[in-house]
Amino acid sequence: MVLRILVTGSQGQLGQCLQDVVLKNNSSIEFVFLSSSDLDITNTDQLENAFQTENFDFCVNCAAYTAVDVAEENQELAFKVNAEGVKNIAEVCKKHNTTLIHISTDFVFDGKNRTPYKETNTTTPINIYGESKLTGEIFLQDILDRYFIIRTSWLYSEYGHNFVKTMLRLFKEKDALNVVDDQIGSPTYAGDLAKFIYYIISSQSTNYGVYHFSNLGETSWFGFAKKIKELSKLHVKIIPIASSEFPTKAVRPNYSVLSTKKVEETFSYGLINWENSLQNMLAI
Ligand SMILES: NC(=O)c1ccc[n+]([C@@H]2O[C@H](COP(=O)([O-])OP(=O)(O)OC[C@H]3O[C@@H](n4cnc5c(N)ncnc54)[C@H](OP(=O)(O)O)[C@@H]3O)[C@@H](O)[C@H]2O)c1
């Protein structure tokens, strides 16, 4: 039987990376990619229509409200998409017997740990975006048994808005750049996460639950910027600064490294170091 997959938010960076992975694999799995204009996850009629036309084995929710700072002032929209929208998807998945693969974030944690966060660690978000994503996780788990919640961190890719693309642009525009050095995390190439999602689907995994997925290793935004500079061979002075010198509307966790042991052990899945993955991406 041919597997059928629905992907929401297909024009975001993860959605586009997943489209690339599907094209490269050239498999018999049938994917339907729907963008925000094709399917608004806050609209239950649109969701029901999408699920009525075909039977889906998996739904991959790449749709999210990801504007972390704007969310502080636009709480309603953040919760509408990241909490209510996820609840809507979970309900339609339950009705149509579809397994949901949902993406969440390292920002469900408060950043007080000094060792990588495990799936079992207490979630205490410190900004609206994190709260809205955690509420989505809770709604989903109340409704569904067959789900994968994959928390990831510091996503970047050749698509959309992300730190790597911003740095490459600023390196060309400026002679010197201040970058925060006291927030530690694991940069993650969205293409690697897309491959893992494809792996779950193609293996028809039933290892349901919450997972942490990131590239291996950890760094600060300053360390990340320095590596981008080194690999892109652009000339710019990068100056490390404290978060207090770069105030943002949303507070961010100081430390949000995720422990990927559960993914590695459950799926015998090999993860890539963040520096190697960045090098691969910049060489595309
Ligand atoms: N980016 C990160 O650093 C990061 C870190 C940790 C976790 N994550 C999580 O990883 C996932 C993928 O992130 P990403 O970076 O690929 O995000 P992204 O590039 O911002 O893409 C999100 C997509 O969702 C769509 N969308 C927004 N509201 C929608 C709605 N109501 N209905 C349907 N689609 C809607 C957006 O469409 P429009 O552009 O048309 O609004 C966009 O295409 C998200 O769940 C995010 O929370 C991201």
Side-chain angles (χ1 to χ4, degrees), residues 8-16 34-43 46 61-68 77 80-82 85-86 89 102-107 129 133 150-157 159-163 188 190 193 213 221 258:
T8 60
S10 65
Q11 288 307 301
Q13 52 172 343
L14 179 60
Q16 293 194 65
L34 298 181
S35 69
S36 58
S37 45
D38 302 321
L39 170 61
D40 177 350
I41 62 165
T42 68
N43 186 320
Q46 285 185 16
N61 181 32
C62 296
Y65 181 92
T66 56
V68 176
L77 186 57
K80 192 172 177 197
V81 178
N82 293 340
V86 175
I89 299 180
H102 173 65
I103 316 305
S104 192
T105 171
D106 53 336
F107 281 16
Y129 166 75
K133 293 289 292 185
I150 306 173
R151 296 188 187 130
T152 190
S153 62
W154 296 25
L155 271 193
Y156 69 89
S157 70
Y159 303 112
H161 301 287
N162 59 67
F163 185 77
T188 304
L193 175 55
F213 183 100
W221 292 110
L258 300 172

Side-chain angles (χ1 to χ4, degrees), residues 120-133:
T120 46
N121 280 141
T122 307
T123 47
T124 321
I126 55 172
N127 59 38
I128 297 294
Y129 166 75
E131 270 182 43
S132 68
K133 293 289 292 185

Side-chain angles (χ1 to χ4, degrees), residues 79-276:
F79 274 84
K80 192 172 177 197
V81 178
N82 293 340
E84 291 298 325
V86 175
K87 186 179 181 193
N88 296 339
I89 299 180
E91 274 165 353
V92 82
C93 281
K94 187 171 179 84
K95 186 169 166 194
H96 294 270
N97 215 18
T98 301
T99 300
L100 178 56
I101 302 177
H102 173 65
I103 316 305
S104 192
T105 171
D106 53 336
F107 281 16
V108 297
F109 296 113
D110 62 12
K112 290 185 180 149
N113 264 26
R114 284 299 168 263
T115 52
Y117 280 97
K118 293 182 184 155
E119 289 79 354
T120 46
N121 280 141
T122 307
T123 47
T124 321
I126 55 172
N127 59 38
I128 297 294
Y129 166 75
E131 270 182 43
S132 68
K133 293 289 292 185
L134 179 61
T135 309
E137 286 189 16
I138 295 167
F139 283 159
L140 185 164
Q141 287 171 300
D142 278 348
I143 296 164
L144 286 175
D145 297 318
R146 293 196 285 121
Y147 65 82
F148 296 86
I149 292 175
I150 306 173
R151 296 188 187 130
T152 190
S153 62
W154 296 25
L155 271 193
Y156 69 89
S157 70
E158 51 274 55
Y159 303 112
H161 301 287
N162 59 67
F163 185 77
V164 174
K165 288 178 72 179
T166 303
M167 285 300 117
L168 290 173
R169 177 173 53 78
L170 292 176
F171 290 174
K172 288 176 195 154
E173 290 172 8
K174 293 180 177 272
D175 297 325
L177 206 61
N178 294 338
V179 184
V180 168
D181 195 28
D182 57 4
Q183 288 169 25
I184 307 297
S186 303
T188 304
Y189 176 49
D192 291 337
L193 175 55
K195 277 188 199 161
F196 177 59
I197 293 170
Y198 187 87
Y199 171 81
I200 291 178
I201 294 168
S202 57
S203 63
Q204 297 185 54
S205 173
T206 53
N207 290 316
Y208 308 122
V210 180
Y211 292 94
H212 288 174
F213 183 100
S214 69
N215 283 134
L216 296 177
E218 59 184 60
T219 188
S220 67
W221 292 110
F222 169 72
F224 193 9
K226 262 198 337 187
K227 194 71 196 175
I228 299 165
K229 175 188 151 178
E230 181 195 315
L231 292 169
S232 63
K233 300 188 176 68
L234 290 166
H235 299 286
V236 61
K237 186 174 164 56
I238 307 176
I239 304 150
I241 58 162
S243 304
S244 56
E245 294 174 76
F246 186 73
T248 50
K249 286 194 181 114
V251 192
R252 285 161 170 78
N254 285 127
Y255 180 92
S256 64
V257 178
L258 300 172
S259 165
T260 53
K261 275 208 173 67
K262 189 177 171 193
V263 158
E264 290 168 277
E265 288 172 8
T266 309
F267 299 94
S268 302
Y269 197 85
L271 295 167
I272 306 173
N273 178 274
W274 74 267
E275 286 154 304
N276 296 342

